[in-house]
Amino acid sequence: MSLKALLALYHFNIQFVAGDEATYHLNVTEGLEPLLDLYLRNPEWKADLELQGHYLEFCEKEYPDIIDKIRKLCERGQIELISVHYSDQIYIAYPKLDFELSQKVNEEILSKCNLKRSNVFFAQENFFGPMVPEFMKKYGYDIALLARSYYEYFQRVENIAPYYEYDGIYVVLGAEGKYKYGDIEWNWIRYGDGEPVVTGVSPYKLFEYRARGDLIEELERRIKSYERDGYKPMTVGEFVKSLKESGIVPEKLGPILEGAWEMKRCRGVYQWMGYYYNPYEMDVEIRSLTYTSRKYVLAAMTLVKWAEKRDVDLAMERELLNKAIKRQLLAEVSDSTGWRPTFVEVGYTINESHMAIYYSLRIIESIKRKCNLKGKVLIDTWSGDVKPAEETKVKRKEVTLPLNIEWVGGEVEHHCYILSDDEYLIQVKIRPRGKVSGMKIPLAKDYIFYSPSLADDRIERIYLNDYACDKIYLPLPNGLLGIEEKTFIVKNNEKMHLAVTIDKNNKYIGFLVENVPPHRTFDWEFYIIKDEKKALRRAIELNVYPKVIV
């Protein structure tokens, strides 16, 4: 069976310039609507459209006619709607619970808009990781779209196949251009941001961001030209279905790790979690702040569940909790750190995090008053227990570091305390100087241990030589990294949520920041633990389900 498929993925992000609402309106009216109208005028054309729940929520409130157009295109089978999260989060940098909450909020918005999303998975910045298929299957996704450059970073590939199989899901690699595999031909006319397609620029250029008739006409000519050449416009779902029906067996996808779609440029998640582009950028500070706000949101969630078992009216608290959760998910957006965040984008996450804290504290104080909880209480977000907080004084003995650490760049003051025979607490004050600052640890083995994103409660061993790249960058959402069987590092993400760099050639593991502006000071904190089970428990209690005193 021969097949010539014409594919397109238009990825739109209402948080393209997070916090600048003028760009939100232009994004819809100048970037999205003219593209929708083009497809409405050509009922045989098909494409994949990715929209976050926050985008749909904005349209439902401000531009309900846009929702009608999307619904019409979906009902006609022209548009395959992809929507996997509420906010365009860097979801692989946070615990699994956050992505599950994002799914829940997103599904509620889709239902309110009377829209049905597809079974195709594509996330902001094409973030992906080895445990995502498990998450996909749980929530009804069975096709993942991944950038060709992402896969080629981890595995050398000469010619890509039309589709792959990976842990029970199908994977289609995307990159603009024509491809051939036997009698199968496919052509990606777009695989990326939808905003510049009919405008020629991004929403950052506020006064230039307008739909251009010449670009709309050029896109129309291109698609019609491909149709004359025998290409059939298809959605990704239809493409995979046709491949299966034609008897094409998917190739096996090789080992992959956490990353994004332009791996060589962004260095995995490091672009968002360690590389400072602008002088006012705050990668580590912002990502750490979101762990502080997350802590209070979890405490509020836990207290609401605890109070539900008592005869208490919680209508107001539930409403505030929905607001707190949404604010937290918005705070986790990738755009406040990353490529070239503007001043307003940096402030966006700071504001959203503090609003999440504000709503959470209102909930906590209200329930404490209604349930007659006096003084400080300890909320265990893991077990759900709520009890009076007891003052404890911990005596710590300072000792020398039990690990060979090279301090890089700037001024460093560190203290190491022994907590038990197999656990140490290290506190570091670092004032970055020069291009790169932080700490390096010798890479002693050809493998490491870590907890992959969306798998906070397990530890996996990965062999570094299974990957073609020289450097590996991992977000460590639960903070855990094992450098050998009896040496685990657990970073406190509320203090130092930055990506770890594993340099295979130079044999080091680095917790490093790059291009940090002068006069910054970091207070980092991490543990060195000699027992695997104890390290995992510490990681979960510290970063996933913390104990909170309020």
Side-chain angles (χ1 to χ4, degrees), residues 395-409:
K395 292 184 178 180
R396 295 171 176 169
K397 179 183 177 182
E398 189 165 354
V399 297
T400 57
L401 282 167
L403 191 64
N404 181 14
I405 296 178
E406 176 190 354
W407 304 104
V408 181

mmCIF file of all heavy atoms in Angstrom, residues 395-409:
data_model
loop_
_atom_site.group_PDB
_atom_site.id
_atom_site.type_symbol
_atom_site.label_atom_id
_atom_site.label_comp_id
_atom_site.label_asym_id
_atom_site.label_seq_id
_atom_site.Cartn_x
_atom_site.Cartn_y
_atom_site.Cartn_z
ATOM 1 N N LYS A 395 20.283 19.001 67.703
ATOM 2 C CA LYS A 395 21.714 19.269 67.828
ATOM 3 C C LYS A 395 22.441 18.628 66.656
ATOM 4 O O LYS A 395 22.293 17.438 66.406
ATOM 5 C CB LYS A 395 22.245 18.712 69.143
ATOM 6 C CG LYS A 395 21.734 19.442 70.376
ATOM 7 C CD LYS A 395 22.382 18.904 71.639
ATOM 8 C CE LYS A 395 21.901 19.681 72.867
ATOM 9 N NZ LYS A 395 22.524 19.178 74.122
ATOM 10 N N ARG A 396 23.173 19.428 65.943
ATOM 11 C CA ARG A 396 23.898 18.920 64.785
ATOM 12 C C ARG A 396 25.389 19.080 65.000
ATOM 13 O O ARG A 396 25.862 20.139 65.415
ATOM 14 C CB ARG A 396 23.474 19.677 63.519
ATOM 15 C CG ARG A 396 22.024 19.462 63.126
ATOM 16 C CD ARG A 396 21.633 20.402 61.998
ATOM 17 N NE ARG A 396 20.271 20.153 61.538
ATOM 18 C CZ ARG A 396 19.603 20.951 60.717
ATOM 19 N NH1 ARG A 396 20.181 22.061 60.273
ATOM 20 N NH2 ARG A 396 18.378 20.656 60.344
ATOM 21 N N LYS A 397 26.076 18.037 64.670
ATOM 22 C CA LYS A 397 27.533 18.064 64.789
ATOM 23 C C LYS A 397 28.141 18.320 63.413
ATOM 24 O O LYS A 397 27.840 17.622 62.458
ATOM 25 C CB LYS A 397 28.035 16.726 65.344
ATOM 26 C CG LYS A 397 29.550 16.660 65.487
ATOM 27 C CD LYS A 397 29.989 15.294 65.968
ATOM 28 C CE LYS A 397 31.518 15.225 66.036
ATOM 29 N NZ LYS A 397 31.982 13.867 66.464
ATOM 30 N N GLU A 398 28.973 19.357 63.319
ATOM 31 C CA GLU A 398 29.587 19.664 62.043
ATOM 32 C C GLU A 398 30.778 18.761 61.792
ATOM 33 O O GLU A 398 31.618 18.545 62.691
ATOM 34 C CB GLU A 398 30.011 21.131 61.990
ATOM 35 C CG GLU A 398 30.452 21.582 60.608
ATOM 36 C CD GLU A 398 30.529 23.085 60.455
ATOM 37 O OE1 GLU A 398 30.137 23.809 61.398
ATOM 38 O OE2 GLU A 398 30.970 23.534 59.374
ATOM 39 N N VAL A 399 30.851 18.229 60.588
ATOM 40 C CA VAL A 399 31.917 17.305 60.205
ATOM 41 C C VAL A 399 32.438 17.701 58.819
ATOM 42 O O VAL A 399 31.891 18.587 58.156
ATOM 43 C CB VAL A 399 31.416 15.843 60.178
ATOM 44 C CG1 VAL A 399 30.978 15.387 61.560
ATOM 45 C CG2 VAL A 399 30.263 15.679 59.176
ATOM 46 N N THR A 400 33.507 17.038 58.400
ATOM 47 C CA THR A 400 34.018 17.280 57.054
ATOM 48 C C THR A 400 33.119 16.589 56.027
ATOM 49 O O THR A 400 32.425 15.614 56.334
ATOM 50 C CB THR A 400 35.454 16.745 56.911
ATOM 51 O OG1 THR A 400 35.458 15.347 57.224
ATOM 52 C CG2 THR A 400 36.403 17.469 57.844
ATOM 53 N N LEU A 401 33.157 17.085 54.806
ATOM 54 C CA LEU A 401 32.337 16.525 53.733
ATOM 55 C C LEU A 401 32.707 15.064 53.485
ATOM 56 O O LEU A 401 33.890 14.727 53.351
ATOM 57 C CB LEU A 401 32.530 17.311 52.442
ATOM 58 C CG LEU A 401 31.805 18.649 52.324
ATOM 59 C CD1 LEU A 401 32.352 19.441 51.145
ATOM 60 C CD2 LEU A 401 30.314 18.431 52.156
ATOM 61 N N PRO A 402 31.690 14.197 53.395
ATOM 62 C CA PRO A 402 31.971 12.772 53.125
ATOM 63 C C PRO A 402 32.072 12.459 51.630
ATOM 64 O O PRO A 402 32.020 11.309 51.229
ATOM 65 C CB PRO A 402 30.755 12.083 53.737
ATOM 66 C CG PRO A 402 29.640 13.053 53.526
ATOM 67 C CD PRO A 402 30.251 14.412 53.648
ATOM 68 N N LEU A 403 32.172 13.499 50.803
ATOM 69 C CA LEU A 403 32.163 13.324 49.363
ATOM 70 C C LEU A 403 33.126 14.330 48.746
ATOM 71 O O LEU A 403 33.251 15.463 49.231
ATOM 72 C CB LEU A 403 30.741 13.565 48.821
ATOM 73 C CG LEU A 403 30.434 13.187 47.371
ATOM 74 C CD1 LEU A 403 30.579 11.690 47.154
ATOM 75 C CD2 LEU A 403 29.012 13.626 47.004
ATOM 76 N N ASN A 404 33.807 13.916 47.697
ATOM 77 C CA ASN A 404 34.744 14.787 47.011
ATOM 78 C C ASN A 404 33.951 15.771 46.138
ATOM 79 O O ASN A 404 33.373 15.392 45.124
ATOM 80 C CB ASN A 404 35.699 13.965 46.155
ATOM 81 C CG ASN A 404 36.726 14.830 45.439
ATOM 82 O OD1 ASN A 404 36.906 16.000 45.768
ATOM 83 N ND2 ASN A 404 37.391 14.268 44.452
ATOM 84 N N ILE A 405 33.921 17.036 46.535
ATOM 85 C CA ILE A 405 33.184 18.068 45.802
ATOM 86 C C ILE A 405 34.153 19.163 45.384
ATOM 87 O O ILE A 405 34.936 19.668 46.197
ATOM 88 C CB ILE A 405 32.050 18.667 46.652
ATOM 89 C CG1 ILE A 405 30.998 17.598 46.977
ATOM 90 C CG2 ILE A 405 31.387 19.844 45.922
ATOM 91 C CD1 ILE A 405 29.865 18.079 47.858
ATOM 92 N N GLU A 406 34.084 19.543 44.113
ATOM 93 C CA GLU A 406 34.877 20.658 43.602
ATOM 94 C C GLU A 406 33.948 21.863 43.464
ATOM 95 O O GLU A 406 32.968 21.818 42.723
ATOM 96 C CB GLU A 406 35.488 20.310 42.245
ATOM 97 C CG GLU A 406 36.244 21.469 41.606
ATOM 98 C CD GLU A 406 36.636 21.209 40.166
ATOM 99 O OE1 GLU A 406 36.418 20.078 39.671
ATOM 100 O OE2 GLU A 406 37.142 22.151 39.513
ATOM 101 N N TRP A 407 34.285 22.926 44.171
ATOM 102 C CA TRP A 407 33.483 24.144 44.090
ATOM 103 C C TRP A 407 33.979 24.971 42.920
ATOM 104 O O TRP A 407 35.178 25.225 42.775
ATOM 105 C CB TRP A 407 33.571 24.932 45.393
ATOM 106 C CG TRP A 407 33.152 24.105 46.579
ATOM 107 C CD1 TRP A 407 33.969 23.532 47.508
ATOM 108 C CD2 TRP A 407 31.824 23.710 46.930
ATOM 109 N NE1 TRP A 407 33.239 22.826 48.432
ATOM 110 C CE2 TRP A 407 31.917 22.908 48.107
ATOM 111 C CE3 TRP A 407 30.564 23.951 46.377
ATOM 112 C CZ2 TRP A 407 30.791 22.370 48.724
ATOM 113 C CZ3 TRP A 407 29.449 23.409 46.999
ATOM 114 C CH2 TRP A 407 29.577 22.626 48.153
ATOM 115 N N VAL A 408 33.061 25.404 42.078
ATOM 116 C CA VAL A 408 33.426 26.058 40.822
ATOM 117 C C VAL A 408 32.917 27.499 40.820
ATOM 118 O O VAL A 408 31.715 27.734 41.019
ATOM 119 C CB VAL A 408 32.813 25.301 39.611
ATOM 120 C CG1 VAL A 408 33.218 25.975 38.308
ATOM 121 C CG2 VAL A 408 33.252 23.846 39.615
ATOM 122 N N GLY A 409 33.802 28.459 40.584
ATOM 123 C CA GLY A 409 33.400 29.849 40.388
ATOM 124 C C GLY A 409 32.906 30.524 41.652
ATOM 125 O O GLY A 409 32.143 29.944 42.426
#
